[in-house]
Amino acid sequence: MEKNTLIKGLQDKLPWEPFLDHMEREGFFKLSSIMVSKISKSKNYNQLIQSGYVMLVGDPIQASVIRDTSHLHIRPYVLFRPKVETQLRVIVKNSQKFKIPITFAGGKTGLSGSYGNFGIIVDMVDFSSYKEPIKLDLKKSTVRSNQNVLVSDLIKCTLFESKKEFVFPVQPASALKLPVRVGGLIASNASGVTSGKLGSVENWVEKIRVMMPNGTIVEIDKDHPLFMKIIAGNGYFGVILSAVFRLYRPETNLKQAIMYGYNLNLAFKGLQSVLDSKIFPLVSEFVISDENLPGKFSELGGESKKNKKVKWAALIEGSKNNVDKFIDVMKQQAESSWKILTEEEFQDYLQERSSFALLVQTEDKSTDYIAFPGFEDILSEPKNLPDIIETINELFVKHGFHKVIFGYGHINFRKGQGLLLHMRLPVPIQYFYKENEKNLKLICETVFEVIINLKNKFNIKHKAEHSPGPFRIWLEPEFRKLLRKETKNGAAFLNPHLMIFDELLLRKFRVSLDGLQSIDEQLPMSEKNDLFVSAMLLYLSGE
């Protein structure tokens, strides 16, 4: 299989022996399996594992654990788990010195395989810059946080310590269920359930401490030229150590409600009116289904005497004025009902909504499906979504997949940019069995065609909310050009995704590295498709 030759070939070319010897002289200990190696048998095993000085080398079992939720995985050859800045600096500087690709893993909740790497993965879960992981300054309305702090802890701590006077402004729905951490929050410019009113990370982070590829530490703010390279930068241009965020003081006496109805087209028409009217509640989430809403949402509509199925629901929390305006505008456009909720009832629905990240519904009930990401966050004006959903489902059917009948997302995404719909490819679970490369290729071809059609027909950018990971490298020649330049200048870490893509280009066109860029900028669509599919297959096609 090509993966075993191309990626293994790139891995074998790296100077592992001198790198590992040098790291041992720097005080690190090599473990080649879950048992200690000879060099470290004299050390107490538990102390050694917890020291931050361990290098796990070539262990397929432990290396396979370092995965996100994307199905796009590459096992690292070396895995580090540092605890302090001095350890991280040695790792970073020597990865650059020996020209070994390096990536950084945080909460491992991503949907794009961002830190997949055949070289070095640094697991940042134990890394702390400050002994005090969360430090609130209520007089300045700020909070300082280490990069490994769970966002759910930051949300709860802010509410508790401020006696509900402040909230942490960036609240991804996934953070209610998954170990989303602050470093990943910044590196993906995340937003979440409060984005309609409050926007994303870039609107709230004041300062970020970053370790650069040369090991130096800088503190950046919005005026720093690196600011938007670090935010949403996937850790390619520097690794995040800690950050200071502004806090948000919400209105008092918030009102909570849920609206629901029976016609999806009318619902999108109503949501377009909400967007046009610039109504921004603190929280505004929605779920849709052409059959039955899942979970707790399926209980809505019991008062209907016509026995109709509820096909959409919107969760709203905000000032009384905003919630009332939202309801008034929606009910003018869409046949709907609504209920005023207690705060506890609202949180129950919100928790249920946050569990939909990996849920997929199709018209076929005979098999189990995996909700496969790739184009899953679709940002559009609500009025265009019926045509967008129809286009996506037509492409699904064309490639032999079932139509998706379920979606969810954010209303008024990031201060009125549009409605963000989450919708994923329903892949039968058997497609991921071993020796099934034909079906894996079909997944890749379908994802590419959906991305290109959404861009060409509706001007929709892939990965509008989630971290793009290697997708940006696979799809954007200008970004590849920038990354090659910054890597050469020492301003970016050596990137495994770019190395893999460039190796595919070199093998396909038989050119030198110097001639790579001119070919890359003039690729016809057929070649772009072939390279995207070939690259994605390498991450999907087994270990």
Side-chain angles (χ1 to χ4, degrees), residues 165-327:
E165 181 182 357
F166 293 101
V167 298
F168 184 69
V170 186
Q171 301 190 11
S174 56
L176 299 173
K177 297 287 185 181
L178 299 172
V180 178
R181 298 183 188 273
V182 167
L185 192 81
I186 298 169
S188 59
N189 194 20
S191 49
V193 298
T194 56
S195 77
K197 187 176 184 68
L198 304 184
S200 63
V201 162
E202 66 181 286
N203 302 115
W204 294 94
V205 68
E206 287 199 336
K207 295 178 182 178
I208 314 171
R209 288 184 75 248
V210 180
M211 185 174 289
M212 304 305 294
N214 64 4
T216 61
I217 293 176
V218 297
E219 187 171 86
I220 64 174
D221 58 19
K222 288 188 176 183
D223 297 325
H224 198 287
L226 278 173
F227 186 75
M228 288 311 296
K229 281 187 176 179
I230 298 302
I231 291 181
N234 279 237
Y236 295 168
F237 303 97
V239 56
I240 295 158
L241 308 179
S242 63
V244 176
F245 296 88
R246 287 185 297 114
L247 299 175
Y248 174 68
R249 181 185 277 111
E251 302 93 333
T252 57
N253 301 319
L254 294 178
K255 185 175 183 178
Q256 298 86 16
I258 187 167
M259 294 195 76
Y260 51 94
Y262 310 92
N263 186 301
L264 290 180
N265 287 337
L266 291 179
F268 288 132
K269 189 176 179 181
L271 291 172
Q272 183 66 48
S273 294
V274 168
L275 179 68
D276 294 340
S277 301
K278 301 187 185 309
I279 300 169
F280 300 149
L282 180 61
V283 177
S284 51
E285 297 286 287
F286 78 99
V287 292
I288 60 171
S289 176
D290 209 28
E291 287 197 5
N292 291 312
L293 292 179
K296 188 176 179 67
F297 291 89
S298 65
E299 300 168 8
L300 296 170
E303 73 281 357
S304 173
K305 296 180 181 179
K306 298 179 182 179
N307 200 28
K308 293 189 294 185
K309 293 180 180 178
V310 171
K311 294 190 175 183
W312 64 269
L315 275 172
I316 323 144
E317 179 181 49
S319 67
K320 181 180 184 302
N321 184 49
N322 267 337
V323 171
D324 290 345
K325 282 183 178 179
F326 189 106
I327 292 172

Side-chain angles (χ1 to χ4, degrees), residues 43-60:
K43 302 278 185 181
N44 179 279
Y45 182 73
N46 289 329
Q47 287 181 343
L48 176 67
I49 294 297
Q50 297 298 322
S51 70
Y53 280 102
V54 168
M55 303 181 290
L56 186 64
V57 180
D59 183 346

Side-chain angles (χ1 to χ4, degrees), residues 374-388:
F375 51 84
E376 69 281 352
D377 36 358
I378 302 160
L379 178 59
S380 168
E381 289 191 284
K383 64 185 179 183
N384 295 329
L385 281 170
D387 290 338
I388 290 169

Side-chain angles (χ1 to χ4, degrees), residues 408-517:
Y408 66 94
H410 314 305
I411 302 167
N412 288 340
F413 179 66
R414 295 186 181 178
K415 299 185 177 182
Q417 291 183 27
L419 185 148
L420 190 89
L421 171 69
H422 292 291
M423 187 176 178
R424 298 179 189 170
L425 180 66
V427 180
I429 197 166
Q430 61 267 25
Y431 276 36
F432 292 96
Y433 294 169
K434 291 287 186 183
E435 306 303 326
N436 212 351
E437 189 168 0
K438 181 180 178 181
N439 286 330
L440 293 180
K441 185 178 181 182
L442 188 61
I443 294 171
C444 302
E445 290 170 341
T446 306
V447 169
F448 181 80
E449 191 168 352
V450 170
I451 289 172
I452 297 303
N453 271 271
L454 291 180
K455 175 64 177 175
N456 292 342
K457 289 185 178 182
F458 305 102
N459 196 30
I460 290 174
K461 181 183 177 182
H462 65 96
K463 301 280 186 179
E465 180 181 33
H466 296 150
S467 164
F471 282 82
R472 193 173 183 193
I473 291 170
W474 299 341
L475 291 164
E476 298 180 25
E478 284 302 313
F479 183 68
R480 294 195 290 269
K481 181 179 180 180
L482 171 68
L483 203 50
R484 291 185 190 112
K485 176 185 173 183
E486 297 286 56
T487 302
K488 186 176 181 180
N489 294 338
F493 296 109
L494 198 62
N495 189 286
H497 311 305
L498 183 63
M499 290 176 70
I500 290 169
F501 195 89
D502 282 353
E503 183 67 18
L504 285 169
L505 278 171
L506 291 170
R507 291 188 179 196
K508 188 175 187 66
F509 296 104
R510 306 292 179 184
V511 295
S512 66
L513 281 170
D514 293 335
L516 202 62
Q517 189 61 45

